[in-house]
Amino acid sequence: GLALVPSVQRAELPLMGDLFADYCLPLLQRGESVDTITIGGGWREVGSLDGYLLANEHWLSHHANHGERSFVHPSARVEPGVRLIASIVGANARVDGTGTVERSVIWPGAQASAPLVDCVVTPLSRAQR
């Protein structure tokens, strides 16, 4: 989730633990308030590889501009032997090799080689489920 903590209360944040149980509850028990706000838009968990890939898949449902439900930034380069399926290729990224890149996210400036499935490729690393 998201939290906006006033600067006067930041010193009370626990270094470890639970934001609600270790921070909010003590404030409420002292009679202080915890301000909240309702957000009308959607929210997706991206703290895991599965969550990150699902959030990008959802983004693709509104922004695909290439082939089979994929997005390719205009400055990216995808070799002719690569078939993209439900994947994102960021700015100045390069995808070479031969085969399918499926349900993957290639970050701006990253280099990837097909085939790939369920991968996130950054300029520094690669994670795959």
Side-chain angles (χ1 to χ4, degrees), residues 38-43:
T38 301
I39 298 174
W43 181 84

Side-chain angles (χ1 to χ4, degrees), residues 32-117:
E32 297 181 46
S33 65
V34 174
D35 295 330
T36 62
I37 185 170
T38 301
I39 298 174
W43 181 84
R44 295 189 176 276
E45 177 274 320
V46 295
S48 67
L49 184 58
D50 286 339
Y52 183 78
L53 289 170
L54 285 171
N56 278 277
E57 187 177 324
H58 176 75
W59 183 85
L60 273 174
S61 69
H62 303 292
H63 297 92
N65 69 356
H66 181 85
E68 299 176 61
R69 303 177 326 276
S70 293
F71 174 86
V72 177
H73 188 275
S75 66
R77 191 176 86 215
V78 178
E79 293 294 320
V82 175
R83 178 178 168 216
L84 298 175
I85 301 173
S87 292
I88 297 172
V89 182
N92 300 308
R94 188 176 84 222
V95 183
D96 56 24
T98 302
T100 302
V101 173
E102 187 171 356
R103 295 184 312 274
S104 295
V105 179
I106 315 304
W107 279 21
Q111 297 179 4
S113 293
L116 292 174
V117 178

